C-alpha cells in the first residue's frame, strides 16, 4: 500500500508540472473494461481523441506506472475512421516506447503513431488492448486443499492518461458473481459479475484513484516457466514441431497436505483451484502427436480432430495444485505445403509464434526454427519485438550443420499467437545433396569391395609358402583334368558295353564294329592327353603324397580298358563266326569278373581323388 | 540262338562227379551266357519299357490341389505371425511398472508408480530423502531422482532392518527412527483399493522378520494371530498400531462408505478410523497404489509432562499402555 501512496503523491505532483508540456489533445470519451476472468488481465479501452490545439498531432501517448509497465505483455492500438455505421477499416498503429526527458522513471510512456496527422479540431476513435501478466496476486498466499483461491487486483479507477479526460468509466469483469471486497468510490455499482466505476467527468491528466478488488477465482493458473519450441523443416514434406514445457501452478500455494480421497470425492469443493486438463489447439492435419515426459509416455490424453483444428486435451500425471510443478513434451508433425511458400529460390515459412495451449502464460519462450542444410540469407519477421540470434544444429547426414534461428521472448500471452515468417533461400538442386551423398556412399563401398576382390594383396611373390600354394593349385588343376579324362574313358567303356547289348539284341555286327572303331580312336586320344598330365604330376613335389594312388588309378583304368576291349573283340568274333565256343564263353566270363572287380577299384580311387 | 544240349554223354562213369560237376558247370556256363542273353534281353526289354513308363508317369499332384495346398501353407504362416505378435504383446510385454487391466470399455491403465515418482521429482526439494521398502529403491533413484534409504542392492542388512523396524513400530517410534535418518518422505505401496497383490502389507512379514533379526524388541509373535498375519478385526494390537498399517489404511474406510474392504486380503480392515499424529499425507496416486507421507516437524512447545531422560521428542501422544518398549536409538 505504501508504494501506491508514493506513486499517487508523485503523480499528483507531476500532473501539475507536466500538463503544460503536452500537446493539446484531450480524450473526450473513454470506456475502460478490465477482464479478470483468467490469470491474464486484459484491459480494453475505447477512446475518442480530440485535437483542441492549433498544431496537428501525429502520435497519441499512453502512460503506465512502472510496476504495471513491467507486467505489460502486449499493447495494441487500433484506430477506426468514421463513426457508427460508417466505421472504416481498422488500422493497427505502431507503438513505441517513448520516454520524454523530463518524465520520472516510475512512469513509462508509449506512443502510438497515427497514420495521418490529426488536424485542428479533428477527433479520432481508437481501441486499445493492454495485456498484463502477474497482476493478480493470490491473497492469502497459502491455502489448504479445501479453501478457495482468492486473488487481489489493484489498479486505478481513473485512467492515468497524459491528457485531460472529459468522460470516463471503468467496468471490471469478475470470473464469478462473488467478490470478497472492493473499493467503493462515490459512483460504484456491483451487479452480476461486474463492478462499474464511474462515469467520472473532467478529470485532469495523470489522475489516479486506487482501487483494490479481492475476489475468488478458480480458473486454472497454468504458467509455463519455460517453453522451448523447436520447429524443424524438412523439404521432403514435413514440419516437425517439438515443445518442451515446464509448467507451474502460479496461484495460491498449497500448504502441503493433499488428500486424494477428498479430491476424488468432491473435486469442486476440495481442490477447486487445481486444474487437471490442459487443452491445446493444434492446426488441422497435425499427425503423429505424442505426449511424453522424462520418464516415459503419458497415456492420459485425448485428441479430437476436424477439418479446421486438432484439439488435444492433455492431462498431466497428477492434478496441479498451487505451487506444484510438472514438465512434459508435446510433439507433432504438420504437412509442409500448409506452411512453406516459395517464389523462385526464395522461400518463407509462415507459422504461429506462441504456444498452442489455451490460456497459458509463458514466462520464457525460446523458439528455434531449424532450416535444412544449405539455406542462406535467413531473416525473420515477427510482428512484435523479440530477441533473435542464430546457431547451428547438427543432425543426421549433416556436414556443415543446419542453420537455426533462435527467437526469445519473455512474458508471452495467447494474444501473441500470431503468424510470423522466416525467409531463406534454398535452391532446388541442393535438395539432392542428401540422396546423392547416400548413393555415393554405397557406391564407394561396393567399388571398394570389387577392388579388394580383384587386387593382389600378397606381400611377396617369391616366398616359399606362396610358391608352394601356387604349385598346389597347379596340382589340383591337373588332377581335375585327369579325373575328367578318366571319366570320359569310363563313358566310352559304357558305350562299348551298350554296343554289346545292342549286338545281342539285334545281331548287328557292323554297327558294333563301328562303335568299336570310334571308341578305339577316342581312347587313343585320351591316353595321349593323359601322358603330359602324369608327367606334370610326377615332376611336382607337392603331389608326392598322392602320386602313387594316381598312378595306381591310371594303371587300373588301363587294365580295365584292355579287358573290356578284349571282351568286346571276343564277343564280336564269336558273333561273326555265328557260334559261341565254350572256350570263348569261358574267357568272356573270366574277363567279366575281372572287369567288375577293376571297375569297383577304379570307382573307389576316383572317389579318393575327388576328395583331394 | 544256339543252345547246347542238356545232357552230354559222359566220357566215363568214373569221374562221374566231375562229369556231373563239369556238366553242371557247363550247364551253368551254358546257361550263363543264355541267362546272360536272356538277362540282356530282359534288360533291354525292361529298360525301354521302364523308360516309357517313366515318361508316361504323371505329375505328383494336380495343379489345383497344389495351389490350394500352397495357399493353406501361406495362411498357416500368416496365422503364425499374427499369433506370435499377439503372444508377445499380451504375455511377454508386461513392464510391471505400468499395469493394465481389460474392462468392458477397453484397456484401463494403472500408471500410479510413474505418477508418484514424477510428483516426487518435481514437487520435493533436491535434498529430500525418501524412505520406502527396498523394492522401490532403484526406481525412486532413477525416476524420482531423490535419495533413498535402502534400495535393491540390499547389501546392508542392518540398514534394511532399521527401515523394517520403523515400519513395524508405532508412529512415535517410527518417527524417531526416520528423523534420525534425516528422512523427509515415507513412501508405501498399497494395493487394497484396486486389488494389486504385490503391495507393502503383503511384504510386511519380511519387514518384521528382518527387523526382528537385528533389533530384538520386534518380536514376530506380537504380530501374529494363530500363526498368521492379519489386518482385520482379529489382528493383534501391535499390528494395528504399526506404521505400515496406519500409512496404508489412513482414511481408507471413507472410500467405500464405511466398510474398508481390502480387495487383496479380502476382508474388512480392523482399525477403521484413526488419525495420524506424526505424519501427514502429501500425495496419493490416482488408484491409491502409492501413498507418500511427510514427517511432521517437531513442535516447539512441549505440552504435558516433560520427559527428562528422553528429551528428544516433544509430541503429545496417547498415554502408553503396557510395557515401555526399548528404543533402539538410545
Amino acid at each position: 500500500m505504501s508504494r501506491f501512496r508514493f506513486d499517487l503523491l508523485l503523480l499528483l505532483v507531476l500532473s501539475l508540472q507536466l500538463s503544460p508540456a503536452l500537446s493539446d489533445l484531450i480524450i473526450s470519451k473513454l470506456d475502460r473494461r478490465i477482464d479478470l476472468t483468467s490469470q491474464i488481465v486484459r484491459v480494453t479501452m475505447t477512446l475518442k481523441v480530440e485535437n483542441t490545439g492549433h498544431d496537428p498531432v501525429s502520435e497519441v501517448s499512453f502512460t503506465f506506472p512502472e510496476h504495471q509497465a513491467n507486467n505489460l505483455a502486449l499493447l495494441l492500438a487500433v484506430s477506426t475512421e468514421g463513426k457508427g455505421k460508417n466505421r472504416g477499416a481498422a488500422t493497427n498503429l505502431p507503438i513505441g516506447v517513448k520516454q520524454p526527458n523530463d518524465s520520472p522513471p516510475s512512469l513509462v510512456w508509449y506512443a502510438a503513431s497515427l497514420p495521418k496527422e490529426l488536424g485542428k479540431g479533428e477527433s479520432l476513435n481508437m481501441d486499445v488492448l493492454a495485456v498484463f501478466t502477474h497482476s493478480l496476486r493470490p491473497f492469502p498466499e497459502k491455502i489448504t486443499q479445501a479453501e478457495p483461491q482468492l486473488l487481489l487486483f489493484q489498479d486505478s479507477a481513473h485512467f492515468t492518461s497524459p491528457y485531460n479526460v472529459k468522460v470516463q468509466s471503468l467496468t471490471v469483469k469478475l470470473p464469478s458473481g462473488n467478490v470478497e471486497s472492493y473499493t467503493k468510490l462515490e459512483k460504484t455499482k456491483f451487479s452480476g459479475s461486474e463492478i462499474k466505476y464511474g462515469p467520472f467527468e473532467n478529470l485532469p491528466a495523470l489522475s489516479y484513484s486506487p482501487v483494490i478488488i479481492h475476489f475468488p477465482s478458480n480458473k486454472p493458473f497454468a504458467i509455463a516457466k519455460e517453453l522451448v519450441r523447436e520447429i524443424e523443416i524438412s523439404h521432403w514434406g514435413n514440419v516437425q514441431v517439438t515443445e518442451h514445457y515446464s509448467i507451474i501452478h502460479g496461484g495460491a500455494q498449497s500448504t502441503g497436505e493433499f488428500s486424494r480421497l477428498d479430491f476424488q470425492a468432491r473435486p469442486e469443493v476440495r481442490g477447486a483451484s487445481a486444474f487437471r486438463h490442459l487443452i491445446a489447439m493444434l492446426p488441422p492435419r497435425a499427425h503423429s502427436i505424442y505426449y511424453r515426459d522424462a520418464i516415459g509416455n503419458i497415456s492420459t490424453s485425448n485428441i479430437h480432430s476436424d477439418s479446421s483444428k486438432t484439439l488435444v486435451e492433455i492431462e498431466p500425471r497428477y492434478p496441479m495444485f498451487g505451487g506444484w510443478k510438472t514438465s512434459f513434451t508435446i510433439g507433432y508433425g504438420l504437412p509442409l505445403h500448409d506452411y512453406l511458400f516459395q517464389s523462385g529460390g526464395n522461400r518463407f515459412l509462415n507459422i504461429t509464434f506462441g504456444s498452442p495451449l489455451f490460456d497459458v502464460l509463458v514466462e520464457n519462450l525460446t523458439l528455434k526454427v531449424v532450416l535444412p542444410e544449405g539455406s542462406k540469407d535467413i531473416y525473420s519477421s515477427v510482428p512484435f519485438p523479440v530477441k533473435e540470434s542464430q546457431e547451428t544444429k547438427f543432425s543426421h547426414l549433416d556436414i556443415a550443420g543446419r542453420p537455426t534461428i533462435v527467437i526469445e521472448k519473455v512474458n508471452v500471452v495467447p494474444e501473441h499467437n500470431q503468424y510470423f515468417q522466416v525467409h531463406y533461400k534454398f535452391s532446388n538442386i541442393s535438395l539432392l545433396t542428401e540422396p546423392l551423398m547416400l548413393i555415393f556412399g554405397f557406391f564407394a563401398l561396393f567399388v571398394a569391395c570389387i577392388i579388394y576382390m580383384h587386387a593382389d594383396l600378397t606381400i611377396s611373390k617369391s616366398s616359399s609358402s606362396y610358391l608352394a600354394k601356387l604349385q598346389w593349385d597347379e596340382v589340383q588343376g591337373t588332377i581335375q583334368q585327369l579325373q575328367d579324362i578318366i571319366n570320359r574313358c569310363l563313358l566310352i567303356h559304357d558305350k562299348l558295353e551298350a554296343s554289346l547289348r545292342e549286338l545281342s539284341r539285334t545281331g548287328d555286327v557292323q554297327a558294333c564294329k563301328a562303335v568299336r572303331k570310334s571308341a578305339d580312336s577316342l581312347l587313343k586320344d585320351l591316353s595321349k592327353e593323359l601322358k603330359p598330365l602324369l608327367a606334370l604330376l610326377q615332376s611336382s613335389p607337392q603331389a608326392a603324397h598322392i602320386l602313387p594312388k594316381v598312378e595306381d588309378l591310371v594303371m587300373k583304368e588301363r587294365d580295365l580298358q584292355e579287358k573290356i576291349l578284349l571282351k568286346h573283340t571276343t564277343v564280336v568274333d564269336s558273333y561273326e563266326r555265328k557260334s559261341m565256343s565254350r572256350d570263348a564263353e569261358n574267357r568272356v566270363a573270366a574277363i567279366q569278373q575281372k572287369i567288375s572287380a577293376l571297375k569297383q577299384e577304379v570307382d573307389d580311387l576316383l572317389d579318393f581323388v575327388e576328395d583331394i | 540262338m544256339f543252345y547246347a544240349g542238356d545232357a552230354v554223354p559222359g566220357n566215363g562213369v568214373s569221374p562221374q562227379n566231375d562229369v556231373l560237376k563239369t556238366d553242371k558247370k557247363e550247364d551253368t556256363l551254358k546257361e550263363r551266357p543264355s541267362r546272360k542273353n536272356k538277362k540282356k534281353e530282359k534288360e533291354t526289354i525292361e529298360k525301354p519299357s521302364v523308360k516309357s513308363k517313366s515318361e508316361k508317369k504323371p505329375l505328383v499332384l494336380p495343379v489345383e490341389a497344389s495351389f490350394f495346398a500352397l495357399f493353406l501353407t501361406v495362411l498357416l504362416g500368416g496365422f503364425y505371425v499374427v499369433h506370435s505378435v499377439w503372444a508377445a504383446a499380451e504375455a511377454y510385454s508386461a513392464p510391471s511398472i505400468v499395469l493394465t487391466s481389460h474392462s468392458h470399455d477397453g484397456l484401463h491403465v494403472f500408471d500410479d508408480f510413474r505418477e508418484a515418482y514424477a510428483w516426487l521429482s518435481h514437487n520435493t526439494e533436491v535434498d529430500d530423502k525418501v524412505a520406502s521398502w527396498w523394492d522401490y529403491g532403484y526406481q525412486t533413484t532413477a525416476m524420482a531422482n531423490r535419495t533413498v534409504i535402502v534400495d535393491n542392492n540390499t547389501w546392508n542388512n542392518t540398514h534394511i532392518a532399521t527401515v523394517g523396524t520403523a515400519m513395524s513400530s508405532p508412529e512415535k517410534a517410527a518417527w524417531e527412527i526416520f528423523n534420525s535418518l534425516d528422512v523427509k518422505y515415507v513412501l508405501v505401496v498399497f494395493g487394497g483399493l484396486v486389488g494389486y497383490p504385490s503391495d507393502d502389507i503383503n511384504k510386511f512379514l519380511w519387514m518384521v522378520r528382518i527387523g526382528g533379526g537385528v533389533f530384538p524388541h520386534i518380536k514376530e509373535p506380537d504380530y501374529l494371530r494363530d500363526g498368521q498375519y492379519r489386518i482385520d478385526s482379529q489382528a493383534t494390537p501391535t499390528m494395528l498400531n504399526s506404521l505400515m498399517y496406519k500409512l496404508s489404511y489412513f482414511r481408507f474406510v471413507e472410500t467405500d462408505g464405511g466398510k474398508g474392504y481390502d480387495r487383496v486380503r479380502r476382508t474388512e480392515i480392523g482399525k477403521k478410523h484413526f488419525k495420524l499424529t506424526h505424519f501427514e499425507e502429501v500425495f496419493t496416486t490416482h488408484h491409491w497404489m502409492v501413498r507418500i507421507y511427510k514427517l511432521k516437524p517437531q513442535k516447539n512447545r512441549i505440552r504435558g509432562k516433560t520427559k527428562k531422560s528422553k528429551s528428544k521428542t516433544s509430541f503429545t501422544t496417547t498415554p502408553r499402555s503396557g510395557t515401555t518398549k526399548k528404543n533402539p536409538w538410545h
Side-chain angles (χ1 to χ4, degrees), chain A residues 230-236 238-240 368-376 378 389-406 426 433-434 437:
Chain A
E230 194 175 300
I231 301 174
E232 183 158 343
I233 298 175
S234 159
H235 281 131
W236 300 106
N238 191 38
V239 174
Q240 184 70 26
K368 294 188 190 179
V369 182
V370 181
L371 299 167
E373 205 182 359
S375 312
K376 292 181 278 282
I378 303 168
S389 61
Q390 284 208 12
E391 61 183 31
T392 327
K393 179 184 170 193
F394 288 94
S395 181
H396 48 273
L397 292 180
D398 276 348
I399 304 168
R402 298 175 190 216
T404 311
I405 188 165
V406 180
F426 188 85
T433 47
E434 276 183 6
M437 200 157 58

Side-chain angles (χ1 to χ4, degrees), chain B residues 113-130:
Chain B
F113 284 102
R114 290 197 292 177
E115 179 183 343
Y117 297 134
W119 186 91
L120 271 178
S121 115
H122 285 115
N123 297 309
T124 57
E125 301 299 312
V126 178
D127 293 334
D128 289 343
K129 292 169 198 49
V130 181

